[in-house]
Amino acid sequence: SDMSVGTTANMKLGEFKVHKTEGNARRATLMTAHGPVQTPVFMAVGTKATVKAMTPEELKDCGTQVVLGNTYHLHLRPGEKTIKKMGGLHKFMNWHGPILTDSGGFQVFSLSNLRKMSEEGVEFRSHLDGAKYFISPEKSMEIQMDLGSDIIMAFDECLQYPATDAEIEKSMALTYRWLLRSKAAMTRKESLLFGIVQGGLSLEHRLKSLEQVTSVDLPGYALGGFSVGEPIHLMHELLPNVAPKMPAHKPRYLMGVGTPTDLIIAIDAGIDMFDCVIPTRVARNGTIYTWQGKVSIKRTEYREDDSALDPECDCYTCKNYSKAYLRHLFLSGEILGSRLNTIHNIHFYMKLMEKAREAIAEGRWAQFRDDCLTRFVKKSK
Ligand SMILES: Nc1nc(=O)c2cc3nc(NCCN4CCCCC4)[nH]c3cc2[nH]1
Ligand SMILES: [Zn+2]
C-alpha cells in the first residue's frame, strides 16, 4: 500500500522525496502545509469550491488527496476576500487536505471575453455579468494567498493551439517575466509556488522555456500549454523529450491532463501530478471509465442489466447499484445519476493512481503500464 515507502513524519514543508524510480516513472511524496501527497497523484477539479456532485467525505472515501480551486472563478464569485473572511477555502468548502489553485490566466483566455493584454496583466470582462476585472501576477498571488492555497500556480500566459514561433517566443518571455513577479509577490510561507513551463508544441521552445523557468528556484514545476486543442499525439510525442529534463528532485505537474491513457503515458515520461475535469464532466454525461474500457450507460443493452458498472471496481456505486438503475437515472436526468457516476469515475482515477504508485514502488511499472494501455484502448461500449 501507499505506506510501503516508509514514513513521511520528519519531512519539511515543500520537501519532495523520490522513493523509487523505474525508467522515467517515479514514486515520490510531496509535503504540503495540509499533509503529504503521494505521487503519482490525480487531483480532483473543484473549480468553484466544489468537486461537482461530490461531498468532501465522498472524495476522501474515493482516495482523493488534493482538490483544485480556480483563482478566476473564485475571484468573480464569491470573491477571495469573502472566502478569507469565512476562514479560507479549506474551511469554506470543508476540505482539509491539500488544495492547489490555478492562477487564472488560462481561465481568462478560455472563458472571459473582451480582454486587453499588457505587460502589467490582463483586463477582461466577467463571463457572468460583463463586469470589468484586471488580473496581474501580483493580483493572482494575492487571491491565491487569501484563499489559503497550499500549492499556488505562477501567473502565466497559456497560448491556444496552433501558435506561430514568434507568438510562442513572445508569450514564453512574458510568462518568464510574470514568473519573477509572481515569486516576488509570494509572502505566504505555508504556500508552495510552482512555475509553469510553456513553449507551445515546439521542442526547441519547450527546452528554452524549461531552462528559463527552472532557473528560478521553486518547490515544483508544471508543464502548461498542453491540452489546448492540439492533436493529443503531439503531446504524447513531446512529453518524453521534456518531462525527464525537468528537475529530478522537484514535482512535475502536467496541467489539464487527461484521460486514463494520457495519465499512464505521462507517468511513463516522468510526470508526478495531474488534474482534469474529464472524470467528473463525462460522468454527468453518462460516460463511465472501467478497467475494461469506456462504458456509455445510456445504451439500450443495459436496460435490464443487473451487473455493476465495473465488476473489478469496489466503489460505493458498483457495490450498490446496477447498470439498469444508473441508465434509468441518466435517462431521467436525475441528480443521483450524476452523483453515482461521478463517485465511480473519481474512484476509478484514484485507484488507477494508487495501482500506479504500487507498481512503481514494487518494480513492475512496465508491466502495469502495458496492461493498462491494452485495457483502455478504444473498446467503448
Ligand atoms: N495556469 C495554467 N497554465 C496553463 O498553461 C494551463 C494549460 C491547461 N490546459 C488545460 N487543458 C484542459 C483541457 N480540458 C480537457 C477536458 C475538457 C475540458 C478541457 N488546462 C490548463 C490549465 C492551465 N493553467
Ligand atoms: Zn465503481
Coordinates of all heavy atoms in Angstrom, one line a residue, residues 293-348:
G293 N -12.3 -0.7 -20.2 CA -12.5 0.4 -21.3 C -13.7 1.2 -20.9 O -14.3 1.1 -19.8
K294 N -14.2 2.1 -21.8 CA -15.3 3.0 -21.5 C -16.6 2.4 -21.7 O -16.8 1.6 -22.6 CB -15.1 4.3 -22.4 CG -14.3 5.3 -21.9 CD -14.4 6.7 -22.5 CE -14.1 6.7 -24.0 NZ -14.0 8.1 -24.5
V295 N -17.6 2.8 -20.9 CA -19.0 2.3 -20.9 C -19.9 3.6 -21.1 O -19.7 4.5 -20.4 CB -19.4 1.6 -19.6 CG1 -20.9 1.4 -19.5 CG2 -18.7 0.2 -19.6
S296 N -20.8 3.5 -22.1 CA -21.8 4.6 -22.2 C -23.1 4.1 -21.6 O -23.8 3.3 -22.2 CB -22.0 5.0 -23.7 OG -23.0 5.9 -23.8
I297 N -23.4 4.6 -20.4 CA -24.5 4.0 -19.6 C -25.9 4.1 -20.3 O -26.8 3.3 -20.0 CB -24.5 4.6 -18.2 CG1 -25.4 3.8 -17.2 CG2 -25.0 6.0 -18.3 CD1 -24.9 2.3 -17.1
K298 N -26.0 5.0 -21.3 CA -27.4 5.2 -21.9 C -27.7 4.1 -22.9 O -28.8 4.0 -23.3 CB -27.4 6.5 -22.5 CG -26.4 6.8 -23.6 CD -26.5 8.3 -24.1 CE -25.2 8.7 -24.8 NZ -24.7 9.9 -24.3
R299 N -26.8 3.2 -23.2 CA -27.0 2.2 -24.2 C -28.2 1.3 -23.9 O -28.3 0.8 -22.7 CB -25.8 1.4 -24.5 CG -24.6 2.2 -25.2 CD -23.3 1.4 -25.2 NE -23.4 0.2 -26.1 CZ -23.1 0.3 -27.4 NH1 -22.6 1.4 -27.9 NH2 -23.2 -0.8 -28.1
T300 N -29.0 0.9 -24.8 CA -30.2 0.1 -24.6 C -29.8 -1.2 -24.0 O -30.5 -1.8 -23.2 CB -30.9 -0.1 -26.0 OG1 -31.0 1.1 -26.7 CG2 -32.3 -0.7 -25.8
E301 N -28.7 -1.7 -24.4 CA -28.3 -3.1 -23.9 C -28.2 -3.2 -22.4 O -28.3 -4.2 -21.8 CB -26.9 -3.5 -24.5 CG -25.7 -2.6 -24.0 CD -24.5 -2.9 -24.8 OE1 -23.7 -3.8 -24.4 OE2 -24.2 -2.2 -25.8
Y302 N -28.2 -2.0 -21.7 CA -28.1 -2.0 -20.2 C -29.4 -1.9 -19.6 O -29.5 -1.9 -18.3 CB -27.1 -0.9 -19.8 CG -25.7 -1.0 -20.3 CD1 -25.1 0.1 -20.9 CD2 -25.0 -2.2 -20.3 CE1 -23.9 0.1 -21.5 CE2 -23.8 -2.3 -20.9 CZ -23.2 -1.1 -21.5 OH -21.9 -1.2 -22.0
R303 N -30.5 -1.9 -20.4 CA -31.9 -1.6 -19.8 C -32.2 -2.6 -18.7 O -32.8 -2.2 -17.7 CB -32.9 -1.7 -21.0 CG -34.2 -0.8 -20.7 CD -35.0 -0.7 -21.9 NE -35.6 -2.0 -22.3 CZ -36.6 -2.6 -21.7 NH1 -37.2 -1.9 -20.7 NH2 -37.0 -3.7 -22.1
E304 N -31.8 -3.8 -18.8 CA -32.2 -4.8 -17.8 C -30.9 -5.5 -17.3 O -31.0 -6.7 -16.9 CB -33.3 -5.7 -18.3 CG -34.6 -5.0 -18.6 CD -35.7 -5.9 -19.0 OE1 -35.4 -7.0 -19.5 OE2 -36.9 -5.5 -18.9
D305 N -29.8 -4.8 -17.4 CA -28.5 -5.4 -16.9 C -28.3 -5.1 -15.4 O -28.2 -4.0 -15.0 CB -27.4 -4.7 -17.7 CG -26.0 -5.3 -17.4 OD1 -25.9 -5.8 -16.3 OD2 -25.2 -5.2 -18.3
D306 N -28.3 -6.2 -14.7 CA -28.3 -6.2 -13.2 C -26.9 -6.1 -12.7 O -26.6 -6.0 -11.5 CB -29.0 -7.4 -12.6 CG -29.3 -7.1 -11.2 OD1 -29.6 -6.0 -10.9 OD2 -29.2 -8.1 -10.3
S307 N -25.9 -6.1 -13.6 CA -24.5 -6.1 -13.2 C -24.0 -4.6 -12.8 O -24.6 -3.7 -13.3 CB -23.6 -6.6 -14.3 OG -23.5 -5.7 -15.4
A308 N -22.9 -4.6 -12.1 CA -22.3 -3.3 -11.7 C -21.7 -2.7 -12.9 O -21.4 -3.3 -13.9 CB -21.3 -3.5 -10.6
L309 N -21.4 -1.3 -12.8 CA -20.7 -0.6 -13.9 C -19.4 -1.4 -14.3 O -19.1 -1.6 -15.4 CB -20.3 0.8 -13.5 CG -21.5 1.8 -13.3 CD1 -21.0 3.1 -12.8 CD2 -22.2 2.0 -14.7
D310 N -18.7 -1.8 -13.2 CA -17.4 -2.4 -13.5 C -17.2 -3.6 -12.5 O -17.1 -3.3 -11.2 CB -16.2 -1.4 -13.3 CG -14.9 -2.0 -13.6 OD1 -14.8 -3.2 -13.6 OD2 -13.9 -1.2 -13.7
P311 N -17.2 -4.8 -12.9 CA -17.1 -6.0 -12.0 C -15.8 -5.9 -11.2 O -15.7 -6.5 -10.1 CB -17.1 -7.2 -12.9 CG -16.8 -6.7 -14.3 CD -17.2 -5.2 -14.3
E312 N -14.8 -5.2 -11.7 CA -13.5 -5.1 -11.0 C -13.4 -3.9 -10.1 O -12.3 -3.6 -9.6 CB -12.3 -5.1 -12.0 CG -12.2 -6.3 -12.9 CD -11.0 -6.2 -13.9 OE1 -9.9 -6.3 -13.4 OE2 -11.3 -5.9 -15.0
C313 N -14.5 -3.2 -9.9 CA -14.5 -2.0 -9.1 C -15.2 -2.2 -7.7 O -16.2 -2.8 -7.7 CB -15.1 -0.8 -9.8 SG -15.2 0.7 -8.9
D314 N -14.6 -1.6 -6.6 CA -15.2 -1.8 -5.3 C -15.8 -0.5 -4.8 O -15.9 -0.3 -3.6 CB -14.2 -2.4 -4.3 CG -13.0 -1.5 -4.1 OD1 -12.9 -0.5 -4.9 OD2 -12.2 -1.7 -3.2
C315 N -16.1 0.5 -5.7 CA -16.6 1.8 -5.2 C -18.1 1.6 -4.7 O -18.7 0.6 -4.9 CB -16.5 2.8 -6.3 SG -17.9 2.8 -7.5
Y316 N -18.5 2.7 -4.0 CA -19.9 2.7 -3.4 C -20.9 2.4 -4.5 O -21.9 1.6 -4.3 CB -20.2 4.0 -2.8 CG -21.6 4.2 -2.4 CD1 -22.2 3.5 -1.4 CD2 -22.4 5.1 -3.2 CE1 -23.6 3.7 -1.1 CE2 -23.8 5.3 -2.9 CZ -24.3 4.6 -1.9 OH -25.7 4.8 -1.6
T317 N -20.8 3.0 -5.7 CA -21.7 2.8 -6.8 C -21.8 1.4 -7.3 O -22.8 0.8 -7.4 CB -21.4 3.8 -8.0 OG1 -21.4 5.1 -7.5 CG2 -22.4 3.7 -9.1
C318 N -20.6 0.8 -7.5 CA -20.5 -0.5 -8.0 C -21.0 -1.6 -7.0 O -21.4 -2.7 -7.4 CB -19.1 -0.8 -8.5 SG -18.7 0.1 -10.0
K319 N -20.9 -1.2 -5.7 CA -21.3 -2.2 -4.7 C -22.8 -2.2 -4.5 O -23.4 -3.1 -3.9 CB -20.6 -1.9 -3.4 CG -19.1 -2.3 -3.3 CD -18.5 -2.3 -2.0 CE -18.3 -1.0 -1.4 NZ -17.4 -0.9 -0.3
N320 N -23.5 -1.1 -4.9 CA -24.9 -1.0 -4.6 C -25.9 -0.8 -5.7 O -27.1 -0.8 -5.4 CB -25.0 0.3 -3.6 CG -24.3 0.0 -2.3 OD1 -24.8 -0.8 -1.4 ND2 -23.2 0.6 -2.1
Y321 N -25.4 -0.5 -6.9 CA -26.4 -0.2 -8.0 C -26.1 -0.9 -9.3 O -24.9 -1.2 -9.6 CB -26.4 1.3 -8.2 CG -26.7 2.1 -7.0 CD1 -25.6 2.6 -6.2 CD2 -28.0 2.3 -6.5 CE1 -25.8 3.3 -5.0 CE2 -28.2 3.0 -5.3 CZ -27.1 3.5 -4.6 OH -27.4 4.1 -3.4
S322 N -27.1 -1.2 -10.0 CA -27.0 -1.9 -11.3 C -26.8 -0.9 -12.5 O -27.2 0.3 -12.3 CB -28.2 -2.8 -11.6 OG -29.4 -1.9 -11.8
K323 N -26.4 -1.4 -13.6 CA -26.3 -0.6 -14.8 C -27.7 -0.2 -15.2 O -28.0 1.0 -15.6 CB -25.7 -1.4 -16.0 CG -24.2 -1.6 -15.9 CD -23.7 -2.1 -17.3 CE -22.2 -2.4 -17.3 NZ -21.9 -3.8 -16.7
A324 N -28.7 -1.1 -15.0 CA -30.1 -0.7 -15.4 C -30.6 0.5 -14.6 O -31.2 1.4 -15.2 CB -31.0 -2.0 -15.1
Y325 N -30.3 0.5 -13.3 CA -30.7 1.6 -12.5 C -30.0 2.9 -12.9 O -30.6 4.0 -13.0 CB -30.4 1.3 -11.0 CG -30.9 2.4 -10.0 CD1 -32.2 2.8 -9.9 CD2 -29.9 3.1 -9.3 CE1 -32.6 3.8 -9.1 CE2 -30.3 4.1 -8.4 CZ -31.7 4.4 -8.3 OH -32.1 5.4 -7.5
L326 N -28.7 2.8 -13.1 CA -27.9 4.0 -13.5 C -28.3 4.5 -14.8 O -28.3 5.7 -15.1 CB -26.4 3.7 -13.4 CG -25.9 3.4 -12.0 CD1 -24.5 2.7 -12.0 CD2 -25.9 4.7 -11.1
R327 N -28.7 3.6 -15.7 CA -29.2 4.0 -17.1 C -30.5 4.8 -16.9 O -30.7 5.8 -17.4 CB -29.4 2.8 -18.0 CG -29.9 3.1 -19.3 CD -30.0 1.9 -20.2 NE -30.6 2.2 -21.5 CZ -32.0 2.3 -21.7 NH1 -32.8 2.0 -20.7 NH2 -32.5 2.6 -22.9
H328 N -31.3 4.2 -16.0 CA -32.6 4.9 -15.8 C -32.4 6.3 -15.2 O -33.1 7.2 -15.6 CB -33.4 4.0 -14.8 CG -34.5 4.8 -14.1 ND1 -35.7 5.2 -14.8 CD2 -34.7 5.2 -12.8 CE1 -36.4 5.9 -13.9 NE2 -35.9 5.9 -12.7
L329 N -31.5 6.4 -14.2 CA -31.3 7.7 -13.6 C -30.8 8.7 -14.7 O -31.2 9.9 -14.7 CB -30.3 7.6 -12.5 CG -30.7 6.9 -11.2 CD1 -29.5 6.9 -10.2 CD2 -32.0 7.5 -10.6
F330 N -29.9 8.2 -15.5 CA -29.3 9.1 -16.5 C -30.4 9.6 -17.5 O -30.5 10.8 -17.8 CB -28.2 8.4 -17.3 CG -27.6 9.3 -18.4 CD1 -26.8 10.4 -18.1 CD2 -28.0 9.1 -19.7 CE1 -26.3 11.2 -19.1 CE2 -27.5 9.9 -20.7 CZ -26.6 11.0 -20.4
L331 N -31.2 8.6 -18.0 CA -32.2 9.0 -19.0 C -33.3 9.9 -18.4 O -33.9 10.7 -19.0 CB -32.9 7.7 -19.6 CG -31.9 6.8 -20.4 CD1 -32.7 5.6 -20.9 CD2 -31.3 7.6 -21.5
S332 N -33.5 9.7 -17.0 CA -34.5 10.6 -16.3 C -33.9 11.9 -15.9 O -34.6 12.7 -15.3 CB -35.0 9.8 -15.1 OG -35.2 8.5 -15.3
G333 N -32.6 12.1 -16.2 CA -32.0 13.4 -15.8 C -31.9 13.6 -14.3 O -31.9 14.7 -13.7
E334 N -31.9 12.4 -13.5 CA -31.9 12.5 -12.1 C -30.5 12.9 -11.5 O -29.5 12.4 -11.9 CB -32.3 11.2 -11.5 CG -33.8 10.9 -11.5 CD -34.6 11.9 -10.6 OE1 -34.0 12.5 -9.7 OE2 -35.8 12.2 -10.9
I335 N -30.5 13.8 -10.5 CA -29.3 14.3 -9.9 C -28.5 13.1 -9.3 O -27.3 13.1 -9.4 CB -29.6 15.3 -8.8 CG1 -30.2 16.6 -9.4 CG2 -28.4 15.6 -7.9 CD1 -30.8 17.6 -8.4
L336 N -29.2 12.1 -8.8 CA -28.5 11.0 -8.2 C -27.6 10.3 -9.2 O -26.5 9.8 -9.0 CB -29.4 10.0 -7.5 CG -28.8 8.8 -6.8 CD1 -27.9 9.3 -5.7 CD2 -29.8 7.8 -6.3
G337 N -28.0 10.3 -10.5 CA -27.3 9.7 -11.6 C -25.9 10.4 -11.7 O -24.9 9.7 -11.8
S338 N -25.9 11.7 -11.7 CA -24.6 12.4 -11.8 C -23.8 12.1 -10.6 O -22.6 11.9 -10.7 CB -24.9 13.9 -11.8 OG -25.5 14.3 -13.0
R339 N -24.4 12.0 -9.4 CA -23.6 11.7 -8.2 C -23.0 10.3 -8.3 O -21.8 10.2 -8.1 CB -24.5 11.9 -6.9 CG -24.7 13.3 -6.5 CD -25.5 13.5 -5.3 NE -25.3 12.6 -4.2 CZ -24.2 12.5 -3.4 NH1 -23.2 13.3 -3.7 NH2 -24.1 11.7 -2.5
L340 N -23.8 9.3 -8.6 CA -23.2 7.9 -8.5 C -22.2 7.7 -9.6 O -21.2 7.1 -9.4 CB -24.4 7.0 -8.7 CG -25.4 7.0 -7.5 CD1 -26.6 6.0 -7.8 CD2 -24.7 6.6 -6.2
N341 N -22.4 8.3 -10.8 CA -21.5 8.1 -11.9 C -20.2 8.9 -11.6 O -19.1 8.4 -11.9 CB -22.0 8.7 -13.2 CG -23.2 7.9 -13.8 OD1 -23.4 6.8 -13.3 ND2 -23.8 8.4 -14.8
T342 N -20.3 10.0 -10.9 CA -19.1 10.8 -10.6 C -18.3 10.1 -9.5 O -17.0 10.0 -9.6 CB -19.5 12.2 -10.1 OG1 -20.2 12.9 -11.1 CG2 -18.2 13.0 -9.7
I343 N -19.0 9.5 -8.5 CA -18.3 8.8 -7.5 C -17.5 7.6 -8.1 O -16.3 7.4 -7.8 CB -19.3 8.2 -6.4 CG1 -19.8 9.3 -5.5 CG2 -18.7 7.1 -5.6 CD1 -21.0 9.0 -4.6
H344 N -18.1 6.9 -9.1 CA -17.4 5.8 -9.7 C -16.1 6.3 -10.5 O -15.0 5.8 -10.3 CB -18.3 5.0 -10.7 CG -17.4 4.1 -11.5 ND1 -17.0 2.9 -11.1 CD2 -16.9 4.3 -12.7 CE1 -16.3 2.3 -12.0 NE2 -16.2 3.1 -13.0
N345 N -16.3 7.4 -11.3 CA -15.2 7.8 -12.1 C -14.1 8.4 -11.3 O -12.9 8.1 -11.6 CB -15.7 8.9 -13.1 CG -16.2 8.3 -14.4 OD1 -16.2 7.0 -14.6 ND2 -16.7 9.1 -15.3
I346 N -14.4 9.1 -10.3 CA -13.3 9.7 -9.4 C -12.6 8.5 -8.7 O -11.4 8.4 -8.6 CB -13.9 10.7 -8.4 CG1 -14.2 12.0 -9.1 CG2 -12.9 10.9 -7.2 CD1 -13.0 12.8 -9.6
H347 N -13.4 7.5 -8.2 CA -12.8 6.3 -7.6 C -11.9 5.6 -8.5 O -10.8 5.2 -8.2 CB -13.9 5.4 -7.1 CG -13.4 4.2 -6.4 ND1 -13.0 3.0 -7.0 CD2 -13.2 3.9 -5.1 CE1 -12.7 2.1 -6.1 NE2 -12.8 2.6 -4.9
F348 N -12.3 5.5 -9.8 CA -11.5 4.8 -10.8 C -10.2 5.5 -11.0 O -9.1 4.9 -11.0 CB -12.3 4.7 -12.2 CG -11.5 4.1 -13.3 CD1 -11.4 2.7 -13.3 CD2 -10.7 4.9 -14.2 CE1 -10.6 2.1 -14.3 CE2 -9.9 4.3 -15.1 CZ -9.9 2.9 -15.2

